[in-house]
Amino acid sequence: MCPTGGTGMEKQSVDDLRKEVKRLKQHLEEKTREIESLKWSRLFLESIFDGISDEILILDDDYTILNANKTFLENYGLEKDRAVGKKCYEIKQHSGGPCAWENTTCPLDEARNTAKRVKMTHEHTPDGENAKKFLIDMFPIVLENGRISCFAEIARELTDYKALARRLQASEKRFRAILDTATNAILSIDESHRIILFNKAAQRIFGYSPLEILGKDLGILIPERYGDHHVFVKRFLERRESEIMGKTLSLAALHKEGWEFPVELSLSHIELDGRTTFTAIIRDVSERRHLEKKLLQSERLAAVGQAVAHVAHEIKNPLMIIGGFTSQLKKSLTGEKDLHKLNMILDEVGRLERLVAGLGDFTKTYRLTKKMANVNDILRDVMKIMAEVYPPNRYGFREELSDQIQEIHCDPDKLKQVFINIVSNGFQAMNEGGKIAVSTESIPEGVEIRISDEGVGIPEEDLHHIFEPFYTTRERGSGLGLPISYKIVEAHEGDISAVSRPGKGTTFIIRLPAC
């Protein structure tokens, strides 16, 4: 019985031993993996530790260096084994005691006493170098049991950062100066269509201040007829391509006051930190379009003027003959019907003669008799004359004449003719009566006159032709009043234009130079 039982016990012991060996082997493999992982972690941390561009020291509570990163060692020309174990003040200040700090304690002392992070600036002069200022960041490294293990010091030199900050500030000033002196509007929007840049030219062209526009949606500057600009931005962000990017576009923009004006626009974009910014350079071409239109108008009037002068010359003599013979016939006839017919002929001959006289006014080159005069006085004379022609119970004036305007060198009689033509047209456009607003304003180059009626207005398609001879929308109008007015203003080297909204009236704008 004993041998058998002994053999069974030995077998059990061997099995237990094998299990224990297996367990120990697994435990050893786990520890080996942990050690390997720790090695990699330590290697990773050391790489980060040495890769940081700021100086880093690990210190114990008596200023002894436990570790130092590559930046610190390179700045002080040391190998790690020559730094570790030394006091920090021995290396930094070559002194036998802690660094002397002006008006404050050593950051290590304060961090040790308060057990809190400490930040302060410190200036010292390395051997043979200029004084350098550092931002010192000292903080305790606390174990799980709450005991302070050591202290970490991070020193960042402020000299380079300040120089970089100064360069950035100078660069920003140059950039801002370029933006603010640019004659074209420059604005930028972010991916949310919010305006983030709006230079001074943009403020002048669109009429908005930075406080009114920055952070607002771009749609505030785009006429509704162009549709939703968000679609364009979304499509570009999806495809990263656009047919209009980098090209010059001719569009209309929307002023703060609600009126549209023509612009030329070019778009670009830049990507920074994963975000896209769109920038537009916008040129207001209102003046250029106006000058082009004025040049075209002058060329057209010159061409028409030559033809009209020839026609006027050809019909002048026949009209005189017809009128003369008709007057002679009238003396020899006694029949009422015959006399009535002859009177009709004479009336029409008279109308044609007045038309020919008007054609002469249109085709002739105006020789102005200039003298210094106040436009307000000329306008008051015109309003007094027109008040006697049109019934005051139906028609009147609203005066807004500025007393700040200067006298100008002009031909008062010719200007009076211009103002009478415009006021007459305004009254005739108000079938039910109304008032005409007359205003003056001083402008840098001279004076601006605005004459506004409350009439039916002029359709857009007609507005482009109002200064052309014979173009009229009235039954008995000759179509010469405004072309003659145009030529008189042109002779003064001034400018005349009109804006109108059907049903709201028409405003004529005359700008005259001071001399």
Side-chain angles (χ1 to χ4, degrees):
M1 296 294 293
C2 288
T4 305
T7 302
M9 290 178 62
E10 290 175 1
K11 186 177 180 181
Q12 181 67 39
S13 298
V14 170
D15 290 340
D16 291 342
L17 185 59
R18 286 174 177 169
K19 290 179 181 179
E20 183 64 19
V21 169
K22 185 177 181 181
R23 187 187 67 77
L24 290 173
K25 186 178 179 181
Q26 290 175 344
H27 182 68
L28 180 61
E29 288 175 351
E30 289 176 3
K31 291 299 179 182
T32 301
R33 285 194 295 271
E34 289 179 8
I35 291 170
E36 191 67 24
S37 177
L38 288 172
K39 285 181 180 179
W40 281 107
S41 297
R42 182 177 179 180
L43 181 62
F44 176 71
L45 292 174
E46 285 180 351
S47 298
I48 295 176
F49 186 67
D50 285 332
I52 294 174
S53 59
D54 298 331
E55 296 178 7
I56 303 177
L57 287 178
I58 306 299
L59 305 166
D60 67 10
D61 60 1
D62 67 346
Y63 315 104
T64 301
I65 298 175
L66 303 177
N67 202 351
N69 75 337
K70 188 176 180 180
T71 302
F72 177 87
L73 297 172
E74 287 179 347
N75 287 347
Y76 287 89
L78 297 173
E79 298 293 332
K80 184 173 286 192
D81 57 1
R82 291 186 57 196
V84 172
K86 295 284 186 70
K87 304 293 185 182
C88 59
Y89 51 79
E90 291 176 338
I91 293 177
K92 288 187 173 183
Q93 299 287 0
H94 302 292
S95 64
C99 304
W101 292 70
E102 293 184 4
N103 303 322
T104 186
T105 59
C106 170
L108 177 59
D109 292 340
E110 188 169 343
R112 182 177 53 217
N113 295 335
T114 62
K116 293 181 179 179
R117 185 175 186 170
V118 177
K119 277 189 175 184
M120 59 180 65
T121 57
H122 175 56
E123 186 175 292
H124 71 269
T125 307
D127 292 339
E129 297 185 26
N130 296 325
K132 292 184 177 181
K133 183 172 285 188
F134 289 84
L135 174 65
I136 305 298
D137 192 351
M138 182 79 71
F139 53 91
I141 297 176
V142 183
L143 299 177
E144 291 182 359
N145 59 11
R147 186 174 67 84
I148 296 176
S149 169
C150 54
F151 297 85
E153 177 190 285
I154 300 176
R156 178 179 296 118
E157 186 179 346
L158 295 179
T159 310
D160 292 340
Y161 282 90
K162 286 187 175 180
L164 177 60
R166 284 194 295 271
R167 288 197 297 271
L168 287 173
Q169 287 174 353
S171 177
E172 184 179 358
K173 285 182 180 178
R174 285 194 296 271
F175 174 69
R176 180 54 60 182
I178 292 171
L179 279 181
D180 288 343
T181 56
T183 56
N184 294 332
I186 302 174
L187 64 89
S188 296
I189 64 167
D190 59 18
E191 293 181 354
S192 300
H193 326 106
R194 302 293 172 185
I195 298 170
I196 57 176
L197 175 67
F198 203 72
N199 73 337
K200 285 188 176 179
Q203 296 169 36
R204 184 187 73 252
I205 291 172
F206 287 94
Y208 289 97
S209 69
L211 288 176
E212 292 175 308
I213 199 71
L214 291 177
K216 298 291 176 60
D217 192 279
L218 181 63
I220 196 173
L221 306 177
I222 300 176
E224 290 183 4
R225 56 192 172 91
Y226 288 118
D228 189 358
H229 67 279
H230 296 73
V231 176
F232 162 77
V233 175
K234 182 180 179 182
R235 187 183 300 121
F236 179 84
L237 293 175
E238 290 173 351
R239 302 178 184 176
R240 297 294 168 177
E241 60 180 21
S242 171
E243 294 180 356
I244 65 173
M245 197 66 68
K247 296 182 179 180
T248 300
L249 308 175
S250 293
L251 303 168
L254 192 62
H255 192 270
K256 177 184 176 181
E257 300 298 328
W259 41 268
E260 295 184 14
F261 59 98
V263 297
E264 288 182 349
L265 175 149
S266 58
L267 283 173
S268 63
H269 75 284
I270 185 172
E271 293 188 19
L272 187 64
D273 297 330
R275 305 287 293 178
T276 302
T277 298
F278 300 89
T279 298
I281 299 177
I282 302 171
R283 181 184 297 107
D284 181 359
V285 294
S286 302
E287 185 65 22
R288 192 182 78 192
R289 295 282 175 84
H290 177 70
L291 291 175
E292 290 173 351
K293 181 180 176 183
K294 187 176 179 180
L295 178 61
L296 183 63
Q297 178 77 15
S298 297
E299 291 174 348
R300 186 180 297 149
L301 288 178
V304 172
Q306 291 178 354
V308 166
H310 179 71
V311 171
H313 177 74
E314 290 298 320
I315 65 175
K316 186 175 182 180
N317 289 335
L319 277 177
M320 290 176 60
I321 294 171
I322 293 171
F325 284 151
T326 303
S327 297
Q328 291 179 18
L329 287 173
K330 185 177 177 182
K331 292 177 182 178
S332 61
L333 295 177
T334 57
E336 187 175 339
K337 288 184 179 181
D338 293 332
L339 288 173
H340 178 69
K341 291 176 182 178
L342 290 177
N343 285 331
M344 288 179 62
I345 293 173
L346 289 173
D347 286 344
E348 291 304 312
V349 167
R351 189 172 70 84
L352 287 174
E353 286 177 339
R354 289 191 296 274
L355 178 61
V356 170
L359 291 175
D361 287 340
F362 171 71
T363 57
K364 71 181 179 182
T365 300
Y366 282 94
R367 302 183 187 279
L368 304 178
T369 305
K370 286 188 173 184
K371 62 181 180 180
M372 297 304 294
N374 189 305
V375 171
N376 287 347
D377 293 338
I378 300 173
L379 286 167
R380 289 191 181 101
D381 286 344
V382 169
M383 287 186 279
K384 189 180 296 184
I385 293 169
M386 301 307 289
E388 294 177 0
V389 177
Y390 289 88
N393 60 329
R394 293 185 59 202
Y395 299 99
F397 292 95
R398 288 195 305 273
E399 296 183 29
E400 296 178 21
L401 305 181
S402 171
D403 56 2
Q404 302 298 317
I405 66 170
Q406 57 183 314
E407 287 191 338
I408 64 172
H409 200 224
C410 65
D411 186 330
D413 290 334
K414 294 293 189 297
L415 288 183
K416 191 176 293 185
Q417 183 181 352
V418 171
F419 300 148
I420 287 175
N421 282 337
I422 295 173
V423 171
S424 295
N425 286 347
F427 279 147
Q428 291 170 23
M430 299 187 295
N431 295 326
E432 303 300 322
K435 291 189 175 183
I436 286 181
V438 180
S439 66
T440 56
E441 180 183 358
S442 179
I443 56 176
E445 60 272 19
V447 62
E448 179 181 280
I449 304 103
R450 288 177 176 258
I451 302 175
S452 305
D453 63 53
E454 301 172 336
V456 294
I458 303 172
E460 184 72 22
E461 59 271 17
D462 292 332
L463 198 60
H464 298 295
H465 304 285
I466 59 174
F467 296 113
E468 296 176 5
F470 310 119
Y471 193 91
T472 180
T473 55
R474 301 199 311 269
E475 266 186 46
R476 302 289 292 178
S478 66
L480 289 173
L482 289 179
I484 290 171
S485 299
Y486 184 95
K487 293 199 68 174
I488 292 173
V489 173
E490 187 180 47
H492 280 83
E493 297 182 3
D495 178 69
I496 180 171
S497 60
V499 292
S500 182
R501 287 192 298 170
K504 300 292 184 180
T506 302
T507 298
F508 283 87
I509 305 162
I510 303 104
R511 295 185 178 94
L512 298 170
C515 57

